[in-house]
Each structure stands twice: as C-alpha cells, then as structure tokens.
Amino acid sequence: RYLMPDNSVIDLTSQLTLNAGTYTLNDGASGNAQFGLALNNPTLSTAGLPSVGVWNMAASGAIATSPNFSNTLSVVGTQTITPKTLTVTATVASKVYDGGTSASGVNLSDDRIQGDLLTATYSAAAFASKNAGLAVSATVSGIAASGTDMANYQILSSTTSTASDITPKSISISGLSVSARTYDGTNSAVVSSYGSLLGILGADDVQIDSWNAVATYSNKNVGVGKVISIDGVGLGGANAGNYSLASPLNTSGDITSK
C-alpha cells in the first residue's frame, strides 16, 4: 500500500507475485519494485542456519523501476522457526549365544543438518529373545542428545528398533571313546562312549544325539592309535538350536591282528 497526495490509499496486494524467491510488486503504471525477504539478524546454528526462535523479517536486494517506489522498504512481520524432529536410528553388533538378551556394540546415527554439533547417547540395548537366530529384533532405549545445537532439535521417541544375529555357541565333547577291535577287513568303528558336552550354559537342555552317527577308521588295516572320524553326531534338547558341534568328530583307536 502507498499513500496518494490526496491521502487516499492505493492497495497493490493483488499486484504482488513471487518467482524463485523474488517478490515483484507492480505499481499499476508500468513500474515495479523487486525484493527478497530474509530474517533480520537471526542467531545462526553451527551449520550456518537460523536457529529456533521468532525473528523479524527484512527486505533484501530491493530494486525499484518506478518513481512510485523507493529502494528502501520496510517489512513488518516475523517468522517463527520451530525445532526439527531428530530421528535417531541404531545398529547393534551380532553376538554369540550367551544365554541372555543383552546387546552391545551399539552405533547411533541421526538426520541432523550437516554441520550441526550434537552427541546422541543411549542407556540400554537388548534383544527381544535370547535364542540364536538371524536378524533377531533388538531395542535401543534411553536415547537422548546434547550439544551446541540441541536447542534446534527435539527427539520424539527415546527408543528405536533394529536387528542383528545371535550365532550358536560352539561346544565340544569330552570323554569320546571307541572300542578297540580285531581286524575284519572293514574300516568300521564302534563308539563305546560319547562322553559329555562341554560349554553348556546354566540349565540349558542339550544332549548328544548319536542316532545317525557313523564311525570309521581312516583305513581297514591293523594299527595303534588310528584316526577315527565320527559323522552324523548332532544335538538334541529344547535348547539345542543355541549350540553348534563340530562335525565330523575325531578320535583314535586300535585295530589288532586277527
């Protein structure tokens, strides 16, 4: 709007257009004024962007091609900048089955504006299940952030979900033995005892499953301390899936002369 000599007011609101950040105001008499809008001396973040707050507006780069306008424009108005929602994501490291749900090796990342100074932290991380598996769900909780530019952000959720692997725990057998036998022209061996499992955690239910086991000497010939391989030995029990047993098993035994 501008004031005429007769004190009448001319309203040019309908003549205002915006293109690529530049406002153009036609005076209705083949002249115009062009200008941009900017915040008037806002506080800047580390990234160089205006910080959260209510800031006065100001005109910038005013150019007038009409005697009806001067190159000095007064802008009345404010712009409110609100905090950006900070989304924090996480990864956790895979682990070997340990009978618990704790997760470690947490790595946090977020969608901060590049250049801003923030430090994201967490208080706890846990898998949804203690059992071995691929892509086991995990939750990272107690997420917070601090730093020079944190006033420009808000965290809406203090937890985030991710997934990682829990691999079976390797265990071994103690007390595996094979009966010595007389030469019979074959390389078959007879296991006299499968011994016991070493490395089972707590009260986990795991047993040796020898139903499909086959034991063989390295050859059929007579000898002492001959290498014996035992294939097909597995694990049974409610918690067997959390453990792994090397295959084949190796031991030694004798074949005596006939």
Side-chain angles (χ1 to χ4, degrees), residues 197-217:
L197 294 171
L198 296 179
I200 303 300
L201 299 176
D204 278 358
D205 176 20
V206 186
Q207 300 92 38
I208 297 170
D209 181 358
S210 60
W211 182 259
N212 296 312
V214 176
T216 55
Y217 286 93

Side-chain angles (χ1 to χ4, degrees), residues 79-92:
Q79 182 171 41
T80 299
I81 299 177
T82 58
K84 170 181 167 59
T85 297
L86 186 70
T87 301
V88 180
T89 57
T91 59
V92 298

Side-chain angles (χ1 to χ4, degrees), residues 77-124:
T78 60
Q79 182 171 41
T80 299
I81 299 177
T82 58
K84 170 181 167 59
T85 297
L86 186 70
T87 301
V88 180
T89 57
T91 59
V92 298
S94 61
K95 72 170 186 175
V96 176
Y97 173 76
D98 60 7
T101 59
S102 63
S104 60
V106 177
N107 182 53
L108 300 179
S109 58
D110 58 65
D111 60 350
R112 76 185 69 181
I113 294 173
Q114 185 174 2
D116 277 351
L117 297 179
L118 299 173
T119 300
T121 58
Y122 73 99
S123 61

Side-chain angles (χ1 to χ4, degrees), residues 12 16 27 34 38 42 48 68 108 112 117-118 121 130 132 143 164 170 172 180 198 204 228:
L12 298 177
L16 185 65
D27 66 358
Q34 293 182 327
N68 294 317
L108 300 179
R112 76 185 69 181
L117 297 179
L118 299 173
T121 58
K130 71 174 185 177
I143 293 173
S164 193
S170 295
S172 59
L198 296 179
D204 278 358
I228 299 172

Side-chain angles (χ1 to χ4, degrees), residues 25 57 59 87 148-149 151 178 209 238:
L25 180 62
M57 301 298 296
T87 301
T148 303
D149 298 297
V178 176
D209 181 358

